[in-house]
Amino acid sequence: MATIHVDGQSYQVNGAHNLLQACLSLGLDIPYFCWHPAMGSVGACRQCAVRQYKGEDDDKGMLVMSCMTPAADQTRIDIDDEEAKAFRASVVEWLMINHPHDCPVCEEGGHCHLQDMTVMTGHDRRRYRFQKRTRRNQFLGPFIGHEMNRCITCYRCVRFYNDYAGGTDLGAFGSKDNVYFGRYQDGTLESPFAGNLTEVCPTGVFTDQSHSDRYTRKWDMQFAPGICHQCSMGCNVSPGERYGEVRRIENRYHGELNGYFLCDRGRFGYGYVNRADRPVVPEWRQSPDSQPVGLGVDDALAQAGDALRHARRIIGIGSPRASLESNHQLQVLVGEHNFSTGIEAREQTCLELMNQLQRHAGLPTPTPREMESHDAMLVLGEDPVQSAGRLGLNLRQAALARCAALGATIGIPDWNAEALKTLAQDRYHPLFIAWPGPTDLDDVAAARYALDPDGIARLGFAVAHAIDTAAPAVEGLTSAEDEAARRIASALVAAERPLVVSGGSLASRAVLEAAGSVARALSRRAKRGGLVLVRREANSTGLSLMGGQPLDWALEELAQGNADAVVVLENDLYQRLSPERVDEALARAEVRIVLDHQRTATAERANFLLSAGSFAESDGTLVNLEGRAQRFFQVYEPGYMRPETRIRESWRWLHALAANLRGESAGDINLDTVVGACADAHPALAGMVDAAPDAHYRIDGLRLAREPHRYSGRTSMRANRHVSEPRAPQDPDTAFAHSMEGYSGYQQPRQQVPFAWAPGWNSPQAWNKFTDEVGGHLRGGDPGVRLIHPVPGQGCYSQPAQTLEGTEGLRALILPRLFGGEETSARAMPIQQREEEPCVTLNHDDALRLEVQNGEIVTLNERTKLPVCEQEGWPDGWAGLPAGLVAGLLPGEPVALQKVAGDQS
């Protein structure tokens, strides 16, 4: 700690910070542009000037840039010095010489850091009367809009895109006052984190293209604390709604999880919520070929309940993309012994093993923030950016953190970004990746080993043995394999905080056991390391803790006629197992009830389709890959703007069905009741009650506002329907109000913040007001509660798996993909536009055996046509196929490829 003196007042601050960060953490406002809490200082904009004095006797001082000045003990500065204020005002004025001053038409209007800083510095008159420089804008893809005329040359965009996220196709061109930020030619930005430019940029240069089509100002959107449903990371998001549509997803700061950034799937994958073909009322079909008939809520419950009462046995199939509460209510409806998780058997086995390893492998699971402090990483059987986007960015920061370690040896502070970058050059903390093909982290990796799943497992077991000879040895290692294992083991042992990352992408128990063995070996060497295991879907971890039979069991029970009714919760079974197996099972069921917010292939086979709420229309709890239970909240009431809809949370539908089945009145139910019932029924989930405040939570007697206090139009939102505006929706389930009446400030610490706003801070930089220190943690505590805790001890080593021999033909190797590989986001138009052309990846020898060449078209299992992509180093006997391309195809299953006759590609 250090004592600094600001405008005559003394404060205790973190001495490792610069003066700008220290003052902002104290709540003292200093304008800035180029500095960012996650990226440090470069001193490019000159906006954060303050007067610094050498000591008590110095009455003159000098102007310094607070972002480039250490918060050393006994530092004396004045923020309100007249010369400093005049200097800051002049900086804004010349930064804006070529700015078009187009706030009324700019998409960042009311949400703009430049507006905030302009007001803060008192610049309110334009004196420049000459011709302004104008730019030609670029097409940057379906995610990002470009308006270079608004640029103030802060360099934040290229610092984030290139230095922080590892992108290579965005740059700064030109010099002096003629600098252009863009690509060397028009084209889609390649980085999977490009969407963060919309929040990193302090002006309206980079804007949210998906928001542009249905644009709404920030103050006219309704928000709620949300959890991203597109992977298992559990990033916190702020979804914004207007007129019953989600208009934008923004990052919601979480000090332990996503910090300031999201991946592009999480930011732009929400379009499925707004699809016109969504089921918005309950539907009944007499047969799969007949047209659906819309029903009212009471009729739907009565008819579906009557059908279930006449059934001999009901099977319930849950979903890892549905909330814990909804899965529990399904289990209550059908009974514990008739409940299936809806997860394929091998994947469920892997999930249960991952839970076990997190408890007993000897190393704890670090938070994503903590991952960035690890100094040696081994990734076994995962492509982190593609399988859990934000995790890839954490691992990149861990590798890049070598620069801070090098800087510490010669006294360069962590925040001095450009000095550290110059010092480190291309030196990184060691990162080793075992994955069949190229990954987005290869540029910072010490080595990538292109191996098949069996080879990855063997390498992992060999590393464990090299670290601890008590671990079983691997027989038959080649000299190259042995050298690789020793190299990796040496780096992990030499590190202070090694990290092991694995997961279920390859659906290989052997790979997970190998990762667990490496973790055990490191823990026996008393290393302060970590183990991270990636799951596939948003609630895969939570559902595996709840328990239940795998999907294979459910389909078998139906196919054998042991049950004649099935209730499917938010799950497209055709995405999980072969269409033939699903068809056979559903054909034997006389009653097929599906709850979903999308028209899936499974929904098309339903007798009754109940219109479920998406994440934006529901409340519930998810458990992420850490084992952290987090609550997401309803953004808007769907029936308010569209009274004709009959969308309900899945857990409400299931509660009413269960009551109907018992011949009882459904009665009132609320979120707190459902959360409590789920926690009581499943000891492993008991802590979920504490994931968020209950419905009675108040601040100064007020509910929490979903709408900014400038929200307009509420009394005319439905004027096209009727001149009498109905009362705002009432929410008995949560502490939030569907209005701007309620608490929306930052003075009182709170975990659940729907949107970031503070007086004078309208942009995303307002999160600084909600944290204990800038870049730290929310003052009310970071949301969520851990449900999986490590048990002391390391457990026993697993035996190395035997390599499969004699396998003929090709086997499927399913490659996770960020864009198009997840079921719901793949229905969003921007994501569909961003998808790369799918292909089947083969090595050269397999292509020769099939008599195909790179680019030629083949048929997969006599159904799907794909071009061939030959890849050097790809493992022999495996066909790499993008996730989500072939429904029901499982990893390791045999595939038949045949060249298309007459193809001239």
Side-chain angles (χ1 to χ4, degrees), residues 180-404:
Y180 187 92
F181 296 95
R183 302 182 84 248
Y184 70 97
Q185 64 180 16
D186 286 20
T188 300
L189 288 170
E190 297 170 1
S191 171
F193 306 102
N196 292 293
L197 293 175
T198 64
E199 294 185 29
V200 166
C201 176
T203 75
V205 176
F206 298 99
T207 55
D208 186 335
Q209 191 79 347
S210 69
H211 185 204
S212 300
D213 297 335
R214 302 282 286 162
Y215 182 73
T216 304
R217 295 290 185 196
K218 177 180 180 176
W219 62 74
D220 278 339
M221 286 192 286
Q222 181 170 230
F223 300 88
I227 305 298
C228 180
H229 279 52
Q230 316 319 335
C231 81
S232 62
M233 279 296 288
C235 294
N236 286 212
V237 295
S238 288
E241 171 268 349
R242 181 71 166 178
Y243 290 117
E245 295 178 338
V246 176
R247 297 291 178 86
R248 186 172 187 171
I249 294 284
E250 294 178 338
N251 181 72
R252 181 163 64 95
Y253 187 85
H254 190 295
E256 290 289 3
L257 258 170
N258 45 290
Y260 292 95
F261 305 122
L262 299 173
C263 77
D264 284 359
R265 181 163 78 185
R267 187 181 294 275
F268 300 109
Y270 64 85
Y272 64 92
V273 177
N274 301 332
R275 285 181 66 103
D277 62 350
R278 277 188 61 184
V280 294
V281 297
E283 295 175 359
W284 171 73
R285 289 176 186 265
Q286 189 169 10
S287 69
D289 298 327
S290 62
Q291 290 297 315
V293 177
L295 299 174
V297 171
D298 292 339
D299 287 342
L301 290 172
Q303 293 187 35
D306 185 61
L308 291 177
R309 276 195 298 274
H310 288 85
R312 289 182 291 106
R313 183 187 177 201
I314 311 167
I315 294 291
I317 300 178
S319 171
R321 65 173 166 91
S323 67
L324 290 176
E325 292 82 359
S326 295
N327 279 288
H328 171 68
Q329 287 299 309
L330 176 59
Q331 194 177 83
V332 170
L333 172 67
V334 301
E336 183 178 349
H337 299 294
N338 296 320
F339 175 73
S340 164
T341 60
I343 302 173
E344 181 264 332
R346 274 195 305 161
E347 182 180 354
Q348 181 156 321
T349 299
C350 289
L351 290 172
E352 292 166 354
L353 176 57
M354 284 189 266
N355 294 342
Q356 178 186 339
L357 290 174
Q358 278 188 251
R359 294 188 179 102
H360 301 289
L363 292 183
T365 297
T367 67
R369 183 193 186 108
E370 292 170 341
M371 293 176 205
E372 298 182 1
S373 64
H374 287 258
D375 54 351
M377 292 75 67
L378 171 61
V379 179
L380 284 175
E382 283 292 338
D383 181 354
V385 172
Q386 300 299 320
S387 59
R390 186 62 179 80
L391 175 64
L393 200 56
N394 294 122
L395 293 177
R396 178 174 291 277
Q397 301 321 303
L400 294 176
R402 176 92 188 274
C403 66

Side-chain angles (χ1 to χ4, degrees), residues 673-708:
T673 302
V674 178
V675 169
C678 184
D680 290 342
H682 308 282
L685 301 175
M688 66 181 284
V689 174
D690 300 320
D694 62 21
H696 302 291
Y697 179 78
R698 299 289 186 273
I699 293 181
D700 295 336
L702 300 173
R703 284 180 172 269
L704 306 181
R706 280 183 170 93
E707 300 168 359

Side-chain angles (χ1 to χ4, degrees), residues 414-450:
D414 289 356
W415 47 261
N416 197 338
E418 202 62 29
L420 292 176
K421 178 183 173 183
T422 302
L423 174 65
Q425 299 295 320
D426 293 328
R427 292 181 286 180
Y428 311 113
H429 282 316
L431 167 62
F432 301 95
I433 302 172
W435 181 253
T439 76
D440 295 85
L441 296 174
D442 287 357
D443 60 315
V444 293
R448 178 179 62 82
Y449 304 96

Side-chain angles (χ1 to χ4, degrees), residues 476-664:
L477 285 178
T478 65
S479 59
E481 290 173 330
D482 184 63
E483 181 184 352
R486 292 181 182 278
R487 180 188 178 192
I488 296 170
S490 176
L492 294 177
V493 170
E496 292 184 8
R497 301 191 68 188
L499 180 67
V500 182
V501 179
S502 189
S505 288
L506 298 176
S508 170
R509 184 181 177 90
V511 168
L512 291 170
E513 292 281 17
S517 291
V518 176
R520 289 188 179 98
L522 289 170
S523 67
R524 288 171 187 262
R525 296 288 292 262
K527 288 294 176 182
R528 294 171 47 246
L531 174 66
V532 177
L533 300 171
V534 180
R535 281 74 162 180
R536 186 156 72 98
E537 294 175 84
N539 211 12
S540 294
T541 309
L543 197 52
S544 64
L545 292 172
M546 178 178 288
Q549 297 291 337
L551 176 60
D552 311 58
W553 168 87
L555 296 187
E556 190 68 21
E557 291 292 294
L558 291 168
Q560 292 182 356
N562 296 332
D564 57 347
V566 61
V567 180
V568 182
L569 168 66
E570 299 182 36
N571 199 338
D572 186 5
L573 311 184
Y574 290 91
Q575 295 290 325
R576 301 185 183 276
L577 287 172
S578 69
E580 293 78 13
R581 288 188 66 181
V582 178
D583 281 339
E584 180 186 6
L586 294 182
R588 294 294 301 274
E590 297 178 11
V591 180
R592 301 176 296 277
I593 300 175
V594 174
L595 300 90
D596 213 330
H597 46 78
Q598 302 298 311
R599 291 193 184 278
T600 65
T602 303
E604 295 300 315
R605 298 292 309 276
N607 302 127
F608 296 94
L609 174 58
L610 302 183
S611 45
S614 68
F615 76 92
E617 300 142 343
S618 305
D619 308 299
T621 308
L622 304 177
V623 183
N624 76 343
L625 56 78
E626 302 171 87
R628 183 191 299 265
Q630 298 185 100
R631 193 96 72 243
F632 61 94
F633 296 95
Q634 183 186 63
V635 184
Y636 61 98
E637 168 55 54
Y640 184 73
M641 287 308 303
R642 297 188 175 91
E644 69 278 7
T645 64
R646 297 294 182 268
I647 295 174
R648 302 288 188 270
E649 296 100 327
S650 291
W651 50 265
R652 286 193 194 277
W653 282 119
L654 292 165
H655 167 75
L657 276 177
N660 198 303
L661 187 62
R662 297 190 300 267
E664 302 172 358

Side-chain angles (χ1 to χ4, degrees), residues 805-825:
E805 297 180 355
T807 303
E808 298 181 358
L810 291 169
R811 287 181 285 170
L813 204 160
I814 308 300
L815 301 173
R817 54 174 176 161
L818 196 65
F819 305 123
E822 189 273 328
E823 181 186 346
T824 54
S825 63

